[in-house]
Amino acid sequence: MAAWTWRFEKADGTQVEPAVTPEEFTTQGDAESWIGENWKALLEGGADQVRLLEDGSEIYGPMSLHADGTTAAETESAGESA
């Protein structure tokens, strides 16, 4: 049986510990539903983006957790120029 997991990263791709502890999911849909329910807490906890893995192989990513798709670095740069 396949195991679907998330990798949590900063904007530069550095792996970080998630603010909300995930489980291993048995379907891609379950994994995606979980990220949809927890993305705000993950973002507030320090993750900027995620990658979806199936049995350790990347399925897609990085996917930004920022609502507008910007990274933390882009947000900080915009604040400095404002």
Side-chain angles (χ1 to χ4, degrees):
M1 181 184 301
W4 299 83
T5 56
W6 291 103
R7 175 184 159 101
F8 306 91
E9 302 177 344
K10 298 300 286 175
D12 66 2
T14 305
Q15 190 168 356
V16 297
E17 288 299 314
V20 180
T21 304
E23 56 190 85
E24 282 192 355
F25 303 95
T26 56
T27 69
Q28 182 174 349
D30 287 346
E32 291 171 338
S33 292
W34 182 88
I35 206 77
E37 294 167 5
N38 292 285
W39 70 270
K40 287 182 184 179
L42 294 164
L43 180 61
E44 291 169 1
D48 291 308
Q49 61 192 26
V50 294
R51 295 175 191 269
L52 182 62
L53 309 174
E54 179 185 14
D55 293 331
S57 297
E58 185 174 311
I59 301 302
Y60 62 77
M63 180 176 71
S64 176
L65 294 176
H66 296 266
D68 60 2
T70 62
T71 65
E74 291 169 337
T75 302
E76 289 170 9
S77 295
E80 292 171 4
S81 62

